[in-house]
Structures are given as C-alpha cells and as structure tokens.
Amino acid sequence: MLNIFKLERRYSVFDEKTYQRLIKLLETMTTYTMDSPTHAKLTDYYYDNEANLLEKNELLLRRRVWRHRAELKIKRRYFAPEYYYSDNLRSHEREREIGLNDPLSKHYFFLNNALNSMFSNNLQFDPDKLFEQMRVIMVIKIDQENRKLFGYGGLKVEVRHEKLKIENRQTRRKNKTEMIQFKLLSSDDTLPIFDDFIKRVERHCKEIFYTKDSKFEIAYRMTRPLPSKEEMKKRIEELEKMRKQQEANENITGNK
C-alpha cells in the first residue's frame, strides 16, 4: 500500500478566484479532459468534553453528515502526517455509519472498542469518562465540487474544490477558506503520470500552496484565540529586539 501523500495532493488557495483560474489552466492542457462537475454539501461536527480529554489524548471525534447519511469517526490526531497517513492509516482510525439523529451515547460501545483496538498498550484513561458530556467544539460546513480528469496512459484523477465555513464554538470565532485536492483514481502504475501532472500544475499555477494539514488542523489554526494584550506586547518587544540586533549586525559588517 502506497503512502497516501503520493496518491493525494491537497492545497490551500490564494483567493476565491483561484479555482476558476486553475480550471481554465487545465482546459488549456490538451493532454487532459474533464467531465462536468458534481456538487455535494457536507457538515463535520467535532466533539470534546469540558475537560478537553480528547485533545489531551491526541484524539479527534467527528460526526459527518451529508444528504440523508451520517458517519461517526474517531482517530488519532496526527502531528507527523507522514507516519499516520501511510500504511498505518487504518490502525489509527475507526468509523461507522450511524443514524442522522443518533445521540453519541448510542455508540459508546463502538467508541470504547475502537479506542482499545487503536492503542497497543493499556489505556491511561477511562473510556467511559472520556465520552461523558460530549459537546460540539467545531463545525465545518463544506461546499464541494468534484470533477474527473482523464489523461494519457489511463490516468484518472479526481479534482476536488472545497469551500469551508468554520465555526469554532470554543473560541467563538468564525472563518472561511478554500481548498483544492487532486486524488489519483486510476491504478498505482499510473503514479508516474500523476506525478508529472502534479508537476505541471504546480509549475503553471503559483496560487495554490501544498499542505499536509487536515481540515480540522486548518480550521483550528484559523480560529484559535486572538492573542491577549500581554502576548501582543511581548511579541512587539521581541520584534523590536530582533530589529535592533539586525541593525547592530549590519553596522558591524559595514565597519569592517
């Protein structure tokens, strides 16, 4: 099984017009063709309890809702994505389809079993307490457009554009952003052709920026608490210190 980062490429974008410019670029590349877009709307709800036990144990609990379906997933929150999103991926996450209006308590048995199967050592926390009084801490509404791109040698790629509306209920901050993803759908032997496609896109479109962050990590970063006055003051003092040090170094260099 190949590393997922070789099969998928995820990008943040410069502005809200980047995607349309990218599509026009792809249409000028005569070696590729695209089908008509399809659209979908999804909403991701992330949970934790008052004591932030999931965060403290580096776990994410997500309920995803789309159309008339819902899915519950628990996974390790990764800080070294090359490790987690590789051959070990399935050993660090569990998911199941649930009812649209199911309370989390209906799936405690699944969640407890998932945790026990994901951790090789004895758990350092009580799973029952971990899921007590869960509340939604983050909501990400996703407006999705998907296209299929076809190329020589049997290449088939999913081109996905996502508009994210983010609501962090802990910090009470909101934000929005857009992402673009290319996912290889054809067989692994088309990977060299996929790599060539990615190189062409990155060479001709300088308004997309590669990222390994998940949607949650991006949303978390974009809605984290604003710095306090004390933190701002300390940061300004650090910048001023760096500026004076730089000027001093330049004067020493100029006097030589």
Side-chain angles (χ1 to χ4, degrees):
M1 182 177 176
L2 291 170
N3 187 311
I4 198 170
F5 286 114
K6 293 185 178 293
L7 306 178
E8 297 181 11
R9 301 284 293 185
R10 188 184 303 129
Y11 301 85
S12 56
V13 303
F14 178 71
D15 62 22
E16 60 185 13
K17 296 180 180 179
T18 297
Y19 176 65
Q20 293 305 320
R21 288 193 286 263
L22 173 66
I23 292 299
K24 288 181 180 179
L25 170 66
L26 294 176
E27 289 173 343
T28 65
M29 297 182 179
T30 56
T31 50
Y32 309 112
T33 59
M34 286 185 293
D35 65 2
S36 300
T38 61
H39 296 86
K41 292 183 181 294
L42 309 88
T43 305
D44 287 348
Y45 301 89
Y46 290 89
Y47 293 82
D48 210 335
N49 61 13
E50 192 71 33
N52 291 327
L53 284 178
L54 289 179
E55 180 181 355
K56 290 175 182 177
N57 287 282
E58 299 181 359
L59 291 162
L60 286 177
L61 177 59
R62 184 194 74 195
R63 179 168 64 96
R64 170 167 290 175
V65 177
W66 73 103
R67 295 192 183 94
H68 302 294
R69 299 176 61 185
E71 173 193 88
L72 190 63
K73 174 181 281 191
I74 186 166
K75 62 180 180 178
R76 303 283 287 272
R77 186 175 177 183
Y78 64 83
F79 296 94
E82 293 85 353
Y83 175 72
Y84 286 106
Y85 272 72
S86 63
D87 293 347
N88 296 306
L89 175 65
R90 292 303 303 167
S91 65
H92 296 289
E93 63 177 44
R94 299 288 184 274
E95 64 186 32
R96 72 182 306 180
E97 194 163 327
I98 64 173
L100 272 178
N101 300 310
D102 283 0
L104 281 180
S105 56
K106 185 176 180 179
H107 302 284
Y108 280 176
F109 184 73
F110 158 72
L111 293 171
N112 287 349
N113 281 347
L115 285 178
N116 281 293
S117 66
M118 285 163 57
F119 287 83
S120 57
N121 301 323
N122 291 331
L123 298 179
Q124 301 300 310
F125 49 85
D126 183 348
D128 291 325
K129 289 186 177 180
L130 191 68
F131 299 112
E132 287 178 0
Q133 300 176 342
M134 280 288 155
R135 58 196 177 122
V136 175
I137 60 166
M138 182 87 74
V139 180
I140 306 176
K141 294 184 177 180
I142 307 165
D143 190 352
Q144 205 176 79
E145 178 178 301
N146 297 290
R147 294 172 181 257
K148 299 292 190 302
L149 178 142
F150 305 91
Y152 63 93
L155 178 69
K156 185 178 180 181
V157 177
E158 179 184 72
V159 181
R160 173 172 292 176
H161 174 228
E162 294 182 317
K163 296 180 180 180
L164 310 182
K165 290 184 178 179
I166 305 160
E167 178 190 356
N168 187 326
R169 295 189 178 177
Q170 289 183 308
T171 63
R172 298 182 180 180
R173 293 191 63 204
K174 297 180 180 181
N175 215 325
K176 60 182 181 179
T177 190
E178 296 186 25
M179 300 186 68
I180 293 170
Q181 177 178 285
F182 301 104
K183 181 178 181 180
L184 180 66
L185 299 180
S186 47
S187 59
D188 293 349
D189 58 11
T190 62
L191 185 58
I193 307 174
F194 179 63
D195 290 339
D196 179 66
F197 164 73
I198 292 297
K199 289 176 183 177
R200 293 183 67 184
V201 170
E202 291 180 344
R203 184 166 63 248
H204 293 289
C205 186
K206 302 298 185 182
E207 299 168 298
I208 60 174
F209 308 96
Y210 178 60
T211 179
K212 291 182 178 179
D213 288 341
S214 67
K215 291 185 186 70
F216 179 84
E217 299 299 338
I218 291 171
Y220 184 84
R221 184 173 65 248
M222 292 183 69
T223 57
R224 59 190 172 192
L226 294 171
S228 65
K229 291 182 179 179
E230 291 76 15
E231 290 170 333
M232 285 294 294
K233 182 179 179 181
K234 183 178 179 181
R235 180 57 178 159
I236 292 171
E237 290 173 349
E238 290 174 350
L239 290 172
E240 181 64 17
K241 184 178 179 180
M242 290 171 60
R243 184 186 66 79
K244 290 180 178 179
Q245 183 63 47
Q246 185 177 2
E247 288 179 351
N249 292 338
E250 289 174 351
N251 290 334
I252 292 173
T253 303
N255 292 330
K256 286 183 178 180

